[in-house]
Amino acid sequence: MPNKGIKFESAIPCDDFRTESNGKNIIIGTYQEEVIVNTQVSNFSFMFVLIGMAEEARKCNLSIALKVDGKMAVKMAATTEVKGMGHFMIPTPTFNVGVKNGTMVSLEVSLDDNEPIILRSLKVIQREESDALTEGAQMSGVAINIGEQGNS
């Protein structure tokens, strides 16, 4: 049975998620397909922000499963409410996962007891400290000035 009026599109792995008093959502410290950590790191803390589209406002039963190297690490369920039509965001709790080089982390979600789908997978790569810092800083120092035309 399909999820009536609600579809998850993706999940963003990140360090933190906040909603300001004016309703603005802030996603802090996002990750790509690979997470690079120092070889000294044995635990990795992160969360996901689930992004979806709703055709109507309604309550639904959400099931979340976190698998580490294919094995169930965390399974939880909650009732959540999508408040209106359009895109929505649902943050997960923060997960703390024991890691080694090559650890694969997968997030599965299910609505209203339907078949779970894998929304996102991450691979943890451990590198020496100097290599991890260099790899993570590839785009640092890049600035794009918008609205400053003709100034040199």
Side-chain angles (χ1 to χ4, degrees), residues 75-92:
K75 188 167 186 168
M76 60 181 62
T79 299
T80 189
E81 183 176 2
V82 177
K83 298 190 186 242
M85 193 171 104
H87 282 94
F88 63 88
M89 294 182 182
I90 300 174
T92 68

Side-chain angles (χ1 to χ4, degrees), residues 11 50 107 117 134:
L50 310 178
L107 178 75
I117 58 169
T134 303

Side-chain angles (χ1 to χ4, degrees), residues 5-6 10 36 42 49 64 81 113 116 119 123 129 137 152:
I6 295 179
S10 65
I36 299 168
S42 60
V49 177
I64 297 172
E81 183 176 2
D113 298 321
L119 271 186
K123 183 175 184 179
E129 185 172 350
S152 17

Side-chain angles (χ1 to χ4, degrees), residues 43-46 66 94-98:
N43 287 308
F44 173 58
S45 294
F46 63 100
L66 187 75
T94 299
F95 301 107
N96 187 16
V97 175

Side-chain angles (χ1 to χ4, degrees), residues 25-94:
N25 294 318
I26 301 172
I27 301 172
I28 300 167
T30 63
Y31 297 98
Q32 303 297 322
E33 287 77 27
E34 291 183 346
V35 178
I36 299 168
V37 297
N38 186 293
T39 53
Q40 303 301 315
V41 172
S42 60
N43 287 308
F44 173 58
S45 294
F46 63 100
M47 65 186 302
F48 289 94
V49 177
L50 310 178
I51 298 177
M53 179 66 119
E55 295 176 6
E56 62 186 11
R58 76 174 183 92
K59 288 186 178 179
C60 56
N61 297 313
L62 174 65
S63 176
I64 297 172
L66 187 75
K67 293 185 176 179
V68 177
D69 290 331
K71 297 177 184 167
M72 185 69 66
V74 176
K75 188 167 186 168
M76 60 181 62
T79 299
T80 189
E81 183 176 2
V82 177
K83 298 190 186 242
M85 193 171 104
H87 282 94
F88 63 88
M89 294 182 182
I90 300 174
T92 68
T94 299

Side-chain angles (χ1 to χ4, degrees), residues 115-134:
E115 280 296 310
I117 58 169
I118 297 174
L119 271 186
R120 191 66 186 259
S121 294
L122 296 171
K123 183 175 184 179
V124 178
I125 306 293
Q126 288 182 312
R127 298 219 172 112
E128 293 296 324
E129 185 172 350
S130 61
D131 293 340
L133 290 174
T134 303

Side-chain angles (χ1 to χ4, degrees), residues 2-31:
N3 298 320
K4 183 183 173 202
I6 295 179
K7 178 184 176 192
F8 283 109
E9 297 175 339
S10 65
I12 299 172
C14 61
D15 290 330
D16 199 5
F17 176 85
R18 299 180 189 153
T19 300
E20 294 186 346
S21 60
N22 64 3
K24 179 173 36 171
N25 294 318
I26 301 172
I27 301 172
I28 300 167
T30 63
Y31 297 98

